[in-house]
Amino acid sequence: MKTHLLSAALIALALPALAAGTVDTSSWNQGGGEQDEALHLTPNHENGIEVYEVCSACHQLNGWGLDDGTFPQIAGQHYNVIIKQLADIRALNRDNPTMYPFALPSEIGGSQSIADVAEYISNLPMNPNPGLGAGDDLEHGAQLYKDNCVRCHGENGEGDNEKFYPRIHGQHYNYLVRQYQWIKEGKRRNANPDMVQQIQTFTERDTLAVLDYVSRLKPPAEMVADPDWVNPDFDW
């Protein structure tokens, strides 16, 4: 087993488009480099398993992360989104200094490995019991989501693979809150600038309510694992 740890949220999946509005893809998703290379490669499933063994130390063998928000659920995330986020971290377009040394090509391989692990993760079944918020302001959260988030993330938080908008349904509430704050404070340099601008007007109540609502959005049943599911690729 590889012993290197991809720590602090490997492919810490962002919310680059939580807010509605016109998206300037040239500013937050310029592409190029390893992102474009990986997107044009045919994934190797067996190598994806090997690379994911490194990731599993933080994201767990099932890809479900931790509900305290330290590590996000990455299972079932869009293939293109995973490639973008990992390529951005490696290119220093997204700051993640704890993860960065372990995400280097010398540790996990080049563009082919990005494609391989992205394919593997995108096909893992999702967590049936993600961490939730308090559940005490959901009507307000639902309205905020309808008014601000649907255009990019969809009615049910399903995102859009082709547009690089991540799935946010089924994500841990505490992780959503942490990433949202980093985007608002400018720590997520690869975030959609439309979102960065729009959420500046959100109050603390708005933030907690909408993210609590998001954490309760349900992925399609066929994408969700049974609560006792164990990843057979690591069932030794």
Side-chain angles (χ1 to χ4, degrees), residues 3-225:
T3 57
H4 296 300
L5 304 181
L6 279 185
S7 56
L10 171 64
I11 315 164
L13 299 165
L15 308 174
L18 186 60
T22 301
V23 176
D24 178 5
T25 57
S26 66
S27 61
W28 69 275
N29 187 25
Q30 295 181 14
E34 286 192 310
Q35 176 176 319
D36 286 357
E37 291 175 11
L39 287 170
H40 289 89
L41 293 172
T42 300
N44 180 304
H45 184 76
E46 293 303 315
N47 189 52
I49 296 174
E50 184 176 352
V51 174
Y52 187 72
E53 188 175 336
V54 181
C55 317
S56 68
C58 294
H59 290 283
Q60 313 301 301
L61 293 176
N62 292 353
W64 294 354
L66 299 175
D67 63 11
D68 66 1
T70 308
F71 306 111
Q73 172 179 249
I74 55 175
Q77 184 54 259
H78 289 304
Y79 176 73
N80 287 0
V81 172
I82 298 170
I83 286 176
K84 170 179 166 52
Q85 295 304 317
L86 185 51
D88 277 354
I89 290 169
R90 283 159 61 121
L92 298 177
N93 294 331
R94 174 178 173 181
D95 295 323
N96 195 326
T98 307
M99 171 184 163
Y100 176 75
F102 303 102
L104 291 171
S106 60
E107 299 297 317
I108 64 170
S111 299
Q112 183 67 58
S113 289
I114 292 179
D116 298 344
V117 77
E119 186 272 340
Y120 182 76
I121 292 168
S122 68
N123 284 291
L124 288 173
M126 298 176 72
N127 187 348
N129 296 305
L132 306 177
D136 55 4
D137 203 8
L138 295 178
E139 184 176 350
H140 182 55
Q143 189 62 52
L144 286 166
Y145 187 84
K146 179 180 178 181
D147 293 343
N148 296 277
C149 314
V150 167
R151 186 178 302 176
C152 294
H153 284 290
E155 294 284 345
N156 194 47
E158 67 271 16
D160 189 316
N161 184 58
E162 295 304 315
K163 294 181 179 179
F164 297 86
Y165 299 153
R167 294 186 185 279
I168 54 176
H169 52 201
Q171 186 57 267
H172 298 302
Y173 169 76
N174 287 326
Y175 179 76
L176 291 169
V177 171
R178 180 161 62 89
Q179 292 301 309
Y180 182 100
Q181 288 301 128
W182 284 4
I183 292 170
K184 189 172 185 178
E185 296 166 7
K187 293 181 180 179
R188 285 291 305 271
R189 293 184 293 107
N190 72 340
N192 185 335
D194 289 340
M195 174 183 175
V196 176
Q197 181 178 2
Q198 183 168 350
I199 65 176
Q200 300 305 313
T201 63
F202 277 34
T203 65
E204 181 177 1
R205 178 197 173 195
D206 294 339
T207 299
L208 299 182
V210 73
L211 297 180
D212 191 356
Y213 175 78
V214 168
S215 74
R216 296 165 190 274
L217 294 173
K218 303 296 185 184
E222 63 271 17
M223 295 188 64
V224 179

